[in-house]
């Protein structure tokens, strides 16, 4: 343990939704209190819809370029609470792939003490919101994570 705390490294998973930004604000407070290192992660996942929509991009960009551009904005927005809380060790990662796999792989590889994420992301369907109260990505991460998971609700 460093500085007598159990939380030395926090993985913040964000898709840019309001609920994931709320989770980032909680994580920023925890990181500020514990002097924890933070890694902000967003998964850039290509779907058939994304590829269809981005095929009509007027500047001729590819679906992959558009995903990267969107992911960069997600990272920038998610970073703001950490800057405001004066958290000094903040790193960012954009990894391509399905969100739950990307988060779990990073959590296992990175020796994190905590994962912070929203209860459901921008893509959570009506059934997930009404019946389960949690999206499928949050459910998968919660059930398979190698460390504690902070799930923030609306």
């Amino acid at each position: 343990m460093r500085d007598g705390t159990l939380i030395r490294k926090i993985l913040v998973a964000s898709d840019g939704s309001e609920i994931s930004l709320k989770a980032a604000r909680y994580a920023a407070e925890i990181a500020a209190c514990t002097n924890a290192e933070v890694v902000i992660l967003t998964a850039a996942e290509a779907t058939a819809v994304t590829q269809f929509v981005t095929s009509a991009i007027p500047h001729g960009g590819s679906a992959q370029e558009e995903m990267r551009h969107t992911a960069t904005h997600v990272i920038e927005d998610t970073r703001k609470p950490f800057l405001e809380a004066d958290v000094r060790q903040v790193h960012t990662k954009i990894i391509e792939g399905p969100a739950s796999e990307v988060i779990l792989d990073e959590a296992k590889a990175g020796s994190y003490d905590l994962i912070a994420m929203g209860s459901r992301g921008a893509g959570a369907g009506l059934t997930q919101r009404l019946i389960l109260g949690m999206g499928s990505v949050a459910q998968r991460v919660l059930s398979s994570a190698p460390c504690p998971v902070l799930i923030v609700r609306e």
Side-chain angles (χ1 to χ4, degrees):
M1 286 191 302
R2 183 186 72 202
D3 300 334
T5 182
L6 295 174
I7 301 174
R8 297 176 311 272
K9 192 172 180 185
I10 303 171
L11 177 61
V12 178
S14 181
D15 65 357
S17 65
E18 187 54 43
I19 195 69
S20 70
L21 296 176
K22 186 177 178 181
R25 290 190 293 273
Y26 274 90
E29 290 295 321
I30 293 168
C33 292
T34 61
N35 196 29
E37 175 185 357
V38 173
V39 175
I40 300 169
L41 172 68
T42 192
E45 183 176 3
T47 64
V49 173
T50 305
Q51 292 172 349
F52 173 76
V53 170
T54 56
S55 67
I57 297 172
H59 57 75
S62 69
Q64 189 173 25
E65 289 170 349
E66 189 61 24
M67 284 185 325
R68 279 258 186 236
H69 180 73
T70 300
T72 300
H73 284 290
V74 167
I75 292 287
E76 290 171 5
D77 289 345
T78 306
R79 185 177 259 239
K80 289 176 186 173
F82 297 95
L83 296 173
E84 293 167 3
D86 199 30
V87 176
R88 300 189 193 290
Q89 296 184 72
V90 180
H91 311 281
T92 61
K93 290 188 176 189
I94 299 170
I95 301 176
E96 292 183 30
S100 58
E101 289 178 26
V102 166
I103 295 164
L104 289 168
D105 288 348
E106 177 62 23
K108 290 171 186 167
S111 300
Y112 292 91
D113 301 303
L114 180 69
I115 300 170
M117 62 188 299
S119 60
R120 56 183 165 73
L126 183 61
T127 302
Q128 291 170 332
R129 286 184 277 161
L130 293 178
I131 297 172
L132 303 174
M134 188 174 6
S136 60
V137 173
Q139 286 177 319
R140 284 188 210 113
V141 171
L142 187 59
S143 66
S144 300
C147 62
V149 181
L150 171 64
I151 301 285
V152 178
R153 297 172 38 135
E154 283 188 283

